[in-house]
Amino acid sequence: MHSFFDINYKEAFTISELCDQMDVRGKSLREIYRLMIEELNEEGKLLFAQGKYQVDTGLRYRTGRVEHTNKNFAFVVLDDAKPDEPDVYVPTDNLNSAMDGDQVRISIWKGSKRSGYRPEGEVQEVLHRTRQEVVGTFEQMSPKYGFVYPDNRRIYTNFFIRSEDFNGVEDGQKVIAEITKFPVEGQRAEGRVKTVLGNAGDNNTEMHAILAEFGLPNEFPEHITAAAEAIPEKITPKEVKKRRDFRPITTFTIDPADAKDFDDALSIEYLENGNIRVGVHIADVTHYIQPGTELEKEAYARATSVYLVDRTVPMLPEKLSNNLCSLRPNEDKLTFSAVFELDDKARIINEWFGRTIIHSDKRFSYEEAQELLEAELTESETPATPEATDKPKGRKRKVEATVNFQKDLHVLNDLAKTLRAERFRKGAVNFETVEVKFRLDENGKPLDVYQKVRKDAHKLIEEFMLLANKRVAEFVFNLKKDEPRNTMVYRIHEAPDKDRLKTFADFALRFGYQVNVEGNIASSLNRMMTAVEGKPEQNLIENLAVRTMAKARYSTEEIGHFGLAFAHYSHFTSPIRRYPDMMAHRLLQHYLDGGNSENRNEYEGRCKHSSEREKMAAEAERASIKYKQVEFMQSHQGEVFDGMVSGVTEFGLFVEIKETASEGMIRLSDLKDDYYDLDAANFRLVGQNSGRIINFGDNVRVKVKEANLSRRIIDLELLGILTTGESPRLKPIPSSGNRGGNRGGGNRNRKPSSSSPRDKNRNSSSRKKR
């Protein structure tokens, strides 16, 4: 009887229907079956509702968001998921026309082998369509119709376009198509061309397509630009009187060489008591953008600047981001500041927060600042007292002399190193992920790819920004001693999930690194990061560690930041490019003025919106990097590279090419020496006949078969497996002989899983986002 219910797990039956289904005849026998069914119900093996019995499959109705990660299946991320609750596996046939990103209502039951025994489900209803448009390439099939093939690799439907909806598009061009009909019950999806972006392969076209794909704007509406242009540039004496004047104090910025928006500056004063006063000065964006204005609405809608490989799409119009709010040298600028008096141990003796006016003496690039930090500083070169001169308006200012700035940088760097060491002592995690950069020609074509190296100049600025963000959050939290505390926008980061951490620990152990998942996790991770530094697997291990961590987000909940080991942390230091920083500025000033706590629910909604926009911007950034990596590798087709296996799946191997930090795929169907099965538990592929093993983390030699820009995929050929050591030797893969390779992608017992955390954290980004 239990087998009958297992087979018909989706259906419910009355006792009479059950007896008919199982051909039970006779009053006595039916009574025996009734008692058996009631006993199963009492044991909890059957559910009884509305007069019918059904096997307890764990069937529940929940809501969530679709992530269509594979053409054969999707996952639904539950809205109310518990921290350790898995996503729900949904076969494509059960999606009921839902597409990636859609909000849906699903029925859920216990999983089976095909889902890896995670819960399975079926979409009952699409509650909200995330996208009404799709970006892709148009292919004209006849004068009467064509198709748009989406760029988004999570959309597996092509859209039928009638000739009257071509809108002037030509074959092979990139377009934005409005979806006019979603695929329902076998009917094809339809659309109409809304915007022609240009020819596929053109740099501007492709970058615009990436922005459109993730619903990100490409330019500002005319009325927004006009509103920004109308803002007066002159700072009035009345405004100056409202602020603490830091213009006489030595002040400078340190930013990338190609930066145009300088939203933070540092000032330094040497006090008579031997302490150092450091000012962290942030562009006062909220002075210029008032609540309720069109500029405010646009900033909120965007919520963040977007950084593609070849361009920045700013949150604020250029008049604000590159002019009024940019802390350019030799100009008076309005700022919001966090000022700290520090002793020689970097302990805070006094602190002050408020609105200020500054005058930056120098604009350093990171490279220029690093040169001064690396140059030797001798006693004879360091004046006992700063040299001064009269500036306009009679102000005393420090003469711009390299030797003085060099001393200031060295002093600040020593303080920053002390602050950094204290963070790690208290449990901060030392993650140093690789940031990929490109050298482009005038047409956006990548000429070179390299990895950005973070040196002391970067870390100096980062440490003082972290200090300001931390102390602002603590200040607001401690203003009100009783609950509920004052509403504040926090940057929060939960501790990693234990199961995911254990998975990562298993990965690390294969390289000989131990991670203690039960004790002090941060200390254990830091020890591993120190041990892996300089090793061939460093980049791989560090990236997997980052993917294992929870994603930092914005919230009014003050639950702390695990990665930084801060009990309270906010984002205060980049209001030119982040809307949450604007919220933090407004809230801080409101409380400094003696205001009561603001509406928490309202700010929580803004935090959620900001987190979602940040995620989309990060995905667009990764898409642009991937596109340029593939474009760069097009000129290296047929060449041989060394790499490392960065993921193994049921359909192939992912390999990260060390020289270019590009990731490509070796398809199982291209491995001709044997049939390979995925051993997911051990993160490897195993040959069915030879027993040959290809492990996650193996060093390999590969040849670039094809770099396909339209699919943003690099196809690789495996030449051999390299052993590690001082003299790596090649273990050649045998020739195909008569075996014929893998037909249809290899593993016949397909599993919706990968042997790396690739599918568990789809939000990772190379850019540091504390």
Side-chain angles (χ1 to χ4, degrees):
M1 183 181 295
H2 206 282
S3 297
F4 171 83
F5 279 107
D6 285 341
I7 294 170
N8 299 281
Y9 60 89
K10 290 186 181 180
E11 300 181 52
F13 304 89
T14 64
I15 290 179
S16 178
E17 288 170 340
L18 284 167
C19 290
D20 290 343
Q21 287 283 337
M22 291 184 283
D23 198 27
V24 178
R25 302 177 184 275
K27 187 175 181 180
S28 298
L29 192 55
R30 282 179 172 248
E31 179 63 17
I32 291 172
Y33 265 76
R34 184 185 68 79
L35 293 172
M36 290 171 59
I37 291 166
E38 289 181 352
E39 185 176 345
L40 288 172
N41 173 237
E42 289 174 2
E43 292 174 355
K45 296 176 180 178
L46 293 180
L47 298 175
F48 179 72
Q50 298 179 335
K52 294 188 175 185
Y53 292 89
Q54 182 178 15
V55 67
D56 185 6
T57 60
L59 183 66
R60 303 291 185 268
Y61 292 96
R62 309 274 288 278
T63 61
R65 177 175 46 82
V66 175
E67 292 194 355
H68 203 169
T69 56
N70 185 290
K71 68 178 181 179
N72 299 310
F73 58 84
F75 293 103
V76 172
V77 182
L78 299 173
D79 291 333
D80 57 349
K82 298 175 183 177
D84 58 346
E85 189 171 10
D87 301 336
V88 180
Y89 171 89
V90 180
T92 296
D93 290 343
N94 287 354
L95 281 175
N96 192 18
S97 87
M99 296 172 62
D100 183 74
D102 286 349
Q103 199 72 15
V104 295
R105 179 174 177 267
I106 61 171
S107 57
I108 307 172
W109 55 89
K110 290 179 180 177
S112 60
K113 186 176 181 180
R114 68 173 180 176
S115 66
Y117 297 98
R118 72 169 71 206
E120 296 186 29
E122 180 177 1
V123 173
Q124 301 296 318
E125 180 184 4
V126 178
L127 301 174
H128 173 70
R129 295 283 187 185
T130 298
R131 55 174 54 83
Q132 301 299 322
E133 298 174 346
V134 65
V135 178
T137 304
F138 175 78
E139 290 191 14
Q140 187 169 345
M141 313 304 293
S142 83
K144 293 186 176 180
Y145 71 93
F147 286 92
V148 170
Y149 294 84
D151 285 352
N152 191 324
R153 292 172 59 193
R154 289 188 174 185
I155 301 177
Y156 302 93
T157 301
N158 303 323
F159 292 82
F160 179 83
I161 311 292
R162 293 182 172 83
S163 58
E164 57 266 31
D165 294 322
F166 282 2
N167 195 20
V169 67
E170 296 179 6
D171 184 60
Q173 289 189 316
K174 288 273 185 178
V175 300
I176 300 175
E178 180 184 349
I179 301 172
T180 57
K181 182 185 289 186
F182 288 90
V184 181
E185 297 180 0
Q187 297 180 18
R188 63 192 177 197
E190 297 184 15
R192 69 174 187 86
V193 174
K194 180 180 178 182
T195 305
V196 178
L197 296 173
N199 295 324
D202 174 78
N203 181 67
N204 278 332
T205 297
E206 296 294 346
M207 294 301 108
H208 290 173
I210 287 172
L211 291 170
E213 178 184 336
F214 293 98
L216 299 168
N218 177 47
E219 55 188 16
F220 286 98
E222 289 184 8
H223 73 282
I224 296 297
T225 303
E229 291 296 330
I231 298 175
E233 295 188 25
K234 185 178 180 181
I235 300 173
T236 65
K238 181 179 179 181
E239 184 61 39
V240 173
K241 288 181 180 179
K242 298 178 183 177
R243 297 168 179 265
R244 184 170 172 178
D245 194 344
F246 274 81
R247 288 177 294 178
I249 311 303
T250 301
T251 304
F252 49 82
T253 60
I254 307 178
D255 291 281
D258 58 353
K260 295 180 180 178
D261 58 336
F262 315 134
D263 53 9
D264 56 75
L266 293 179
S267 68
I268 181 168
E269 296 177 79
Y270 301 94
L271 304 181
E272 292 182 0
N273 61 5
N275 292 337
I276 306 294
R277 181 182 291 137
V278 179
V280 180
H281 306 287
I282 309 302
D284 191 0
V285 174
T286 56
H287 169 79
Y288 295 102
I289 300 182
Q290 295 298 311
T293 62
E294 292 301 310
L295 284 169
E296 162 74 17
K297 293 173 185 176
E298 184 72 15
Y300 172 71
R302 293 178 178 233
T304 181
S305 295
V306 183
Y307 297 89
L308 302 188
V309 165
D310 69 330
R311 69 195 65 195
T312 297
V313 182
M315 183 180 76
L316 305 177
E318 185 176 353
K319 171 72 176 288
L320 286 160
S321 60
N322 293 358
N323 184 359
L324 289 179
C325 297
S326 184
L327 307 184
R328 302 187 301 194
N330 304 313
E331 297 179 11
D332 288 355
K333 292 293 180 179
L334 302 181
T335 47
F336 207 142
S337 304
V339 183
F340 305 101
E341 180 183 339
L342 304 172
D343 66 13
D344 59 353
K345 304 295 185 185
R347 291 175 296 209
I348 298 174
I349 307 303
N350 286 300
E351 65 183 16
W352 178 90
F353 306 101
R355 284 190 150 103
T356 54
I357 182 169
I358 68 165
H359 187 106
S360 175
D361 299 286
K362 177 73 174 175
R363 178 262 202 269
F364 283 106
S365 69
Y366 282 118
E367 292 77 13
E368 291 168 340
Q370 188 63 34
E371 283 184 18
L372 291 181
L373 288 174
E374 291 176 357
E376 186 177 353
L377 182 65
T378 64
E379 238 181 85
S380 61
E381 292 174 323
T382 308
T385 57
E387 191 176 348
T389 186
D390 284 334
K391 285 276 186 171
K393 302 182 182 179
R395 303 191 190 285
K396 296 288 186 180
R397 298 189 58 83
K398 195 176 200 178
V399 167
E400 184 176 319
T402 301
V403 64
N404 291 342
F405 283 118
Q406 185 182 22
K407 175 193 174 183
D408 297 337
L409 285 168
H410 275 269
V411 169
L412 290 172
N413 194 40
D414 288 343
L415 291 171
K417 286 181 177 180
T418 302
L419 289 168
R420 184 178 176 84
E422 181 66 8
R423 276 200 301 115
F424 292 142
R425 189 186 69 79
K426 290 184 175 179
V429 182
N430 185 17
F431 284 143
E432 291 286 349
T433 55
V434 169
E435 187 173 344
V436 177
K437 305 290 285 184
F438 295 86
R439 186 167 62 87
L440 307 174
D441 68 11
E442 64 275 9
N443 297 315
K445 183 179 178 62
L447 303 175
D448 189 23
V449 58
Y450 59 95
Q451 297 178 6
K452 180 179 175 181
V453 179
R454 277 169 33 85
K455 296 186 177 181
D456 280 355
H458 299 84
K459 297 174 184 178
L460 182 160
I461 289 297
E462 180 184 59
E463 213 56 53
F464 283 106
M465 297 306 113
L466 292 176
L467 178 65
N469 288 336
K470 172 191 174 186
R471 298 300 292 187
V472 163
E474 291 178 347
F475 175 78
V476 172
F477 181 80
N478 291 322
L479 273 177
K480 189 168 180 281
K481 300 301 182 183
D482 56 330
E483 299 293 339
R485 303 274 183 156
N486 284 331
T487 297
M488 183 58 178
V489 172
Y490 295 100
R491 181 71 166 176
I492 63 172
H493 184 222
E494 289 95 342
D497 174 74
K498 285 292 180 68
D499 289 337
R500 290 176 64 184
L501 189 62
K502 187 178 185 306
T503 300
F504 171 71
D506 290 339
F507 277 116
L509 191 59
R510 294 180 175 276
F511 293 91
Y513 305 109
Q514 288 194 334
V515 177
N516 182 2
V517 299
E518 299 297 336
N520 188 324
I521 298 171
S523 295
S524 182
L525 285 170
N526 283 338
R527 283 194 298 272
M528 184 208 66
M529 292 298 182
T530 300
V532 79
E533 190 171 351
K535 303 293 176 58
E537 63 272 14
Q538 178 179 354
N539 186 33
L540 184 62
I541 292 288
E542 288 178 345
N543 274 294
L544 289 179
V546 171
R547 293 177 185 178
T548 301
M549 297 296 103
K551 176 69 176 174
R553 58 190 173 88
Y554 298 106
S555 177
T556 56
E557 296 181 75
E558 56 272 27
I559 66 173
H561 195 294
F562 170 81
L564 295 171
F566 290 161
H568 306 97
Y569 184 67
S570 185
H571 267 176
F572 172 80
T573 53
S574 294
I576 289 178
R577 62 185 180 91
R578 295 187 306 220
Y579 186 79
D581 300 57
M582 290 176 59
M583 290 193 284
H585 280 214
R586 287 201 178 108
L587 287 170
L588 175 57
Q589 187 60 57
H590 176 72
Y591 298 133
L592 288 171
D593 293 337
N596 294 324
S597 182
E598 293 281 25
N599 186 296
R600 184 177 293 266
N601 290 335
E602 178 184 336
Y603 273 91
E604 184 61 34
R606 295 178 188 177
C607 286
K608 184 177 181 181
H609 167 78
S610 298
S611 296
E612 290 170 352
R613 297 296 292 182
E614 178 188 63
K615 178 184 175 183
M616 285 189 283
E619 289 176 349
E621 177 188 349
R622 285 196 298 273
S624 77
I625 291 172
K626 182 67 175 179
Y627 183 88
K628 288 301 175 187
Q629 285 175 323
V630 176
E631 187 178 9
F632 178 75
M633 294 304 291
Q634 275 190 324
S635 61
H636 296 276
Q637 289 184 173
E639 295 184 21
V640 176
F641 294 90
D642 287 346
M644 181 176 288
V645 177
S646 56
V648 289
T649 72
E650 74 276 5
F651 51 84
L653 301 167
F654 289 97
V655 173
E656 183 179 283
I657 297 173
K658 297 177 182 178
E659 186 176 330
T660 64
S662 306
E663 190 175 60
M665 170 177 276
I666 301 167
R667 301 178 186 280
L668 289 196
S669 56
D670 289 339
L671 295 178
K672 305 299 183 183
D673 64 303
D674 204 343
Y675 297 100
Y676 284 85
D677 290 318
L678 173 66
D679 180 3
N682 291 295
F683 325 117
R684 63 185 185 176
L685 296 174
V686 181
Q688 293 179 4
N689 300 305
S690 65
R692 183 169 291 106
I693 294 173
I694 305 174
N695 287 295
F696 171 89
D698 277 351
N699 290 299
V700 295
R701 185 157 292 163
V702 296
K703 181 166 75 174
V704 180
K705 285 180 59 180
E706 181 188 12
N708 190 311
L709 267 179
S710 62
R711 293 185 296 132
R712 299 177 197 161
I713 290 177
I714 302 169
D715 285 321
L716 303 173
E717 177 185 347
L718 180 63
L719 299 181
I721 302 173
L722 297 168
T723 58
T724 57
E726 292 183 3
S727 302
R729 60 185 178 84
L730 191 65
K731 291 181 180 177
I733 298 294
S735 59
S736 60
N738 297 319
R739 308 206 70 90
N742 292 313
R743 293 182 291 272
N747 181 22
R748 288 167 286 187
N749 297 320
R750 300 180 68 83
K751 301 176 183 178
S753 61
S754 163
S755 67
S756 81
R758 299 174 58 84
D759 65 328
K760 291 302 291 179
N761 190 337
R762 310 169 186 84
N763 305 331
S764 64
S765 173
S766 61
R767 184 178 300 276
K768 283 183 105 56
K769 289 192 173 96
R770 298 296 193 183

